[in-house]
Amino acid sequence: MIRIDSIWLATEPIDMRIGMDTALARVVQVFGAARPHHAYLFTNKRSTRIKVLIYDGFGIWLASRRLNKGSFTWTDSGHLSVALNTGQLQALVTGLPWKTLTHDVTLP
């Protein structure tokens, strides 16, 4: 099990063809550094795919997800990143509205 203490959503899209080194460089550019037990989420321009980079304190994990239909609901906060809670993350990756969730919830 990977421990995740904080979840960050980058508000600018990235090219989904990038690999781990480029994703890590983007995390450093946007967030200043990859912090242990933090997850960093990025989307493509159409918001149909997301990439998640997790630094577990020992190494880097990079995963991606694609929706077969529809798009991920992204943010328009005007900031480079937005902090999410676990309930918001679960809603985001399943394609559900997440912006109105203010605390952790269990989704089906």
Side-chain angles (χ1 to χ4, degrees):
M1 177 71 70
I2 300 172
R3 185 179 110 205
I4 299 174
D5 296 334
S6 293
I7 305 158
W8 296 94
L9 176 68
T11 58
E12 295 180 5
I14 63 169
D15 184 344
M16 286 291 129
R17 298 172 291 185
I18 68 170
M20 193 172 305
D21 292 335
T22 306
L24 180 58
R26 179 71 176 175
V27 166
V28 170
Q29 177 188 11
V30 173
F31 300 98
R35 294 179 182 89
H37 311 293
H38 285 221
Y40 305 93
L41 284 75
F42 299 92
T43 187
N44 63 342
K45 286 184 181 181
R46 292 185 286 178
S47 295
T48 56
R49 296 176 185 221
I50 61 172
K51 273 204 174 186
V52 180
L53 185 136
I54 301 169
Y55 176 48
D56 66 2
F58 300 103
I60 305 291
W61 297 79
L62 185 64
S64 62
R65 171 146 181 160
R66 183 177 126 202
L67 287 179
N68 292 325
K69 194 164 102 173
S71 62
F72 292 102
T73 304
W74 219 242
T75 184
D76 53 0
S77 70
H79 302 333
L80 289 177
S81 65
V82 175
L84 300 179
N85 62 42
T86 54
Q88 290 172 320
L89 175 63
Q90 290 175 355
L92 173 70
V93 299
T94 54
L96 299 172
W98 60 271
K99 294 178 187 180
T100 58
L101 300 176
T102 57
H103 59 282
D104 289 343
V105 294
T106 304
L107 298 175

